[in-house]
Amino acid sequence: MEKVRVRFAPSPTGYLHVGNARTALFNWLFARKHDGAYVLRIEDTDAERSEAQYETRLVEDLRWLGLDWDEGVDVGGACGPYRQSDRLELYQRYARQLLDDRRAYYCFCTPEEIEADRQRLLAEGRPPKYSGRCRSIPPQEAQRRLERGEPSAVRLRVPEGPVRFRDLVHGELEFSSDVIGDPVLLRSDGHPAYNYAVVIDDALMKISHVIRGDDHISNTPRQILTYQALGWTPPHFAHLSTILGKDHTRLSKRHGATSVSSFRDQGYLPEALVNYLALLGWSPPEEGKEILSLEQIARSFELGKVSKAAAVFDPDKLNWINRAYLKSVGRARLAELSKRYFCAAGLLTPGANGAVEDWLGDVMDAILGYLDRLDQVVEKSGLIFQFDPAAFEPASRESLASEEARQVVEAFDREFEQRDPLTVEDYRKAAQQVQRQTGQKGRNLFHPLRAALTGAEKGPELEKLIPIFEKAKVLPLPQPIPGCRERLRQALSLRTGIRK
RNA sequence: GGCCCCAUCGUCUAGUGGUCUAGGACGCCAGAUUCUCAAUCUGGUAACGCGGGUUCGAUCCCCGCUGGGGCUACCA
């Protein structure tokens, strides 16, 4: 079997979008599955819209996702250059060949003429294809006009007859060539048109399978015709369905953040994003097992099993997958990853030391169950970083106002006094003591303690919170966090205040 | 307008001419657990767009319709 070579060929006209990321992913998976090569090519022939900074972002985003490439921009390779703007002479060379073979011709039509033709055809209710006006200009005349400096484009002479191809996800596809006007190969500024450049690049880079978005289906016949005119064998094609937003229109900024970098900023893990994207249009062979690594997915990936229908992007499912990964990454990495969010909120200093990071691990462990994304850490850890009896929830104030609750809290305070800092074991012993002393148990025992410690009715387990509060006492934090006894004392004085 | 693509629970999907009383996952609901909430576990809810064919029999094959999406550039 021929060597599998696939490519991802984005144009650097903006940030990497999740839709494109999925295309990149499926190419990567296919290459991995077949032990082939994955090429990254930059399609920057549209100088007006392309920007170098976007290429850098693209490379960063792809790397972050873990979709490494074997050849291409940034890594080099045998089929370079990998940036279309560096391949201009190649496009010229093959255009000349096509011209010499009379498979292509010079077109001197002005943009105004073409637009006028288009409008007329449209008005007549006919397909707006190129008229073919310059098709039969004799070579000598074309040469003369060229020498006179007349601006000209190069067009492919499209032959009669249908164009057929077999798409790896859609099956047999057929197009009538009489709706295809002679496409421009080279623009009058000498730059190649997209549909021409891809052909030259894919052929020269020996791409075996072109896997791309299904918005390219109708471009495919043109490209196949170009391969044929050059006497080359077209690659295999596979067209992936579009990703839609909740309203079933193409996923775009209107649906919120859609760039890969924005997902990173929100605190999605790359393995989660990529896992979710793979599930959009492809399903794992084993039912019920959807949390899979790139390697696991690559092993069972098949283009033929990819869905033809457009898929709606579902943030809920992405969140579920992200939660699954957040739970599995381990406290050290979690602390490391969450640091930037705490720093941004001023709760931590960037140079935080090992003890602080270790403590942060405890914090993350406590709030993990509440997180979809890492950018929620500050919000979800509010009751750890903020302690203000004046801001206690009304329900907590109320429950602390009872005599029973006051006794429980005071008893805890006495028990805690003997240990500093308090450990989970100390706390457990204290709870037993308090239970014995006050006769309170269960909810009546723990709830007043929770209310006094956090001022809230709900939150992480006390066994997790207590060591966090205690350890925080000695940490160099920008905003000090009171320990348990301090909290109890303040809560008790608050209650007294209310009574008066 | 023309051409093209697509159509199973709310969403992602499995599935095949009869075994489908249509499977899984997310979501949602309920129960279990817990000091509380979250997490977790268990259970439940929910779909073959419509109309014609073909066939002994269609979710699965064909046609039409409807709906959605795309292309229709000297953009990519």
Side-chain angles (χ1 to χ4, degrees):
Chain A
M1 189 182 155
E2 66 184 321
K3 167 96 167 134
V4 165
R5 288 177 61 83
V6 297
R7 49 45 163 207
F8 175 56
S11 23
T13 53
Y15 297 146
L16 181 63
H17 181 270
V18 285
N20 290 125
R22 188 179 64 139
T23 303
L25 169 64
F26 281 33
N27 272 285
W28 186 94
L29 290 169
F30 187 75
R32 269 299 170 92
K33 164 77 186 240
H34 298 283
D35 202 26
Y38 181 43
V39 178
L40 176 64
R41 180 174 76 222
I42 300 293
E43 308 211 325
D44 59 351
T45 50
D46 183 9
E48 280 177 33
R49 293 199 300 170
S50 297
E51 276 184 52
Q53 56 147 328
Y54 286 131
E55 184 185 312
T56 312
R57 298 295 299 252
L58 228 37
V59 165
E60 270 176 26
D61 290 342
L62 250 15
R63 287 250 159 78
W64 179 73
L65 288 171
L67 306 178
D68 52 314
W69 49 102
D70 307 296
E71 273 177 43
V73 134
D74 224 40
V75 302
C79 298
Y82 292 96
R83 204 173 280 117
Q84 287 190 329
S85 56
D86 294 332
R87 301 172 62 82
L88 263 25
E89 69 173 86
L90 254 15
Y91 308 126
Q92 306 271 1
R93 186 191 306 166
Y94 290 97
R96 181 133 319 121
Q97 179 187 319
L98 254 10
L99 248 9
D100 292 344
D101 295 346
R102 305 220 58 202
R103 303 284 195 153
Y105 59 90
Y106 286 106
C107 172
F108 299 95
C109 296
T110 63
E112 294 72 32
E113 285 175 311
I114 289 169
E115 185 53 26
D117 287 347
R118 201 182 124 78
Q119 290 306 329
R120 184 173 46 77
L121 255 15
L122 240 28
E124 288 169 15
R126 297 200 298 161
K129 62 170 198 173
Y130 174 63
S131 68
R133 186 167 24 238
C134 298
R135 244 185 176 221
S136 46
I137 294 176
Q140 306 88 313
E141 186 190 333
Q143 198 54 41
R144 268 200 305 280
R145 294 173 71 170
L146 239 34
E147 280 160 15
R148 225 183 294 145
E150 237 182 278
S152 72
V154 176
R155 282 184 191 271
L156 182 72
R157 196 185 303 275
V158 170
E160 298 280 305
V163 181
R164 275 183 263 264
F165 66 98
R166 201 166 72 80
D167 187 283
L168 265 24
V169 349
H170 292 270
E172 298 294 334
L173 259 24
E174 179 179 325
F175 293 80
S176 158
S177 72
D178 44 63
V179 290
I180 306 172
D182 293 348
V184 165
L185 266 23
L186 244 33
R187 301 188 224 148
S188 49
D189 64 3
H191 279 256
Y194 166 77
N195 281 303
Y196 171 60
V198 243
V199 170
I200 300 300
D201 292 339
D202 286 338
L204 263 32
M205 293 180 185
K206 305 186 185 72
I207 300 303
S208 61
H209 300 256
V210 170
I211 305 169
R212 67 218 319 185
D214 64 2
D215 47 338
H216 286 287
I217 288 183
S218 42
N219 285 327
T220 309
R222 264 179 267 275
Q223 293 169 14
I224 288 176
L225 257 12
T226 306
Y227 278 99
Q228 290 170 347
L230 285 159
W232 296 342
T233 308
H236 299 289
F237 292 97
H239 289 96
L240 272 19
S241 67
T242 319
I243 298 181
L244 307 177
K246 194 138 199 67
D247 59 358
H248 288 231
T249 62
R250 199 194 194 96
L251 192 66
S252 70
K253 3 267 152 298
R254 291 184 302 103
H255 299 98
T258 54
S259 68
V260 167
S261 56
S262 68
F263 283 96
R264 180 182 55 212
D265 292 343
Q266 286 175 81
Y268 285 99
L269 299 178
E271 40 288 55
L273 220 208
V274 131
N275 191 157
Y276 175 67
L277 255 18
L279 259 19
L280 238 36
W282 174 84
S283 61
E286 196 176 343
E287 281 196 345
K289 287 206 169 169
E290 300 195 338
I291 304 293
L292 301 162
S293 68
L294 278 181
E295 280 65 30
Q296 289 173 305
I297 294 170
R299 229 169 285 143
S300 43
F301 185 75
E302 268 176 66
L303 273 180
K305 301 212 71 176
V306 169
S307 170
K308 295 190 263 223
V312 173
F313 190 90
D314 180 8
D316 285 336
K317 183 138 185 183
L318 205 214
N319 285 342
W320 173 73
I321 292 178
N322 201 47
R323 287 198 296 267
Y325 280 94
L326 285 174
K327 278 170 200 149
S328 71
V329 292
R331 51 179 287 144
R333 185 172 168 214
L334 217 44
E336 180 59 36
L337 286 168
S338 61
K339 224 166 129 180
R340 56 175 280 209
Y341 299 96
F342 288 111
C343 289
L347 299 174
L348 242 49
T349 41
N353 65 24
V356 172
E357 272 197 22
D358 186 61
W359 174 78
L360 194 54
D362 287 351
V363 172
M364 291 306 292
D365 178 54
I367 64 171
L368 199 49
Y370 302 89
L371 296 177
D372 292 326
R373 306 172 255 119
L374 256 15
D375 69 351
Q376 297 167 320
V377 292
V378 171
E379 176 201 339
K380 303 299 182 189
S381 61
L383 84 184
I384 292 171
F385 288 90
Q386 267 108 51
F387 181 75
D388 177 10
F392 274 15
E393 289 175 12
S396 294
R397 287 165 166 268
E398 207 171 302
S399 59
L400 282 172
S402 79
E403 188 56 33
E404 295 78 12
R406 191 187 63 88
Q407 281 172 5
V408 167
V409 174
E410 281 172 352
F412 268 114
D413 186 42
R414 281 194 302 276
E415 289 298 323
F416 286 179
E417 195 172 5
Q418 297 156 26
R419 304 276 188 174
D420 182 49
L422 198 65
T423 65
V424 181
E425 289 69 33
D426 297 330
Y427 158 63
R428 286 184 188 141
K429 275 182 215 136
Q432 280 173 5
Q433 290 299 321
V434 173
Q435 181 176 340
R436 201 167 311 151
Q437 291 163 23
T438 63
Q440 301 290 359
K441 57 182 180 179
R443 190 182 164 83
N444 292 334
L445 177 67
F446 296 103
H447 197 73
L449 179 62
R450 168 176 295 284
L453 247 22
T454 69
E457 295 298 286
K458 50 191 186 177
E461 293 160 43
L462 289 171
E463 293 202 354
K464 289 188 175 178
L465 286 176
I466 285 166
I468 288 172
F469 293 151
E470 288 296 289
K471 288 184 193 173
K473 291 192 292 193
V474 298
L475 294 175
L477 299 171
Q479 293 170 42
I481 291 177
C484 293
R485 288 201 66 215
E486 176 65 22
R487 288 171 187 253
L488 295 190
R489 240 190 302 276
Q490 287 194 36
L492 283 168
S493 68
L494 166 82
R495 196 198 67 88
T496 315
I498 290 173
R499 263 186 143 185
K500 277 176 184 167

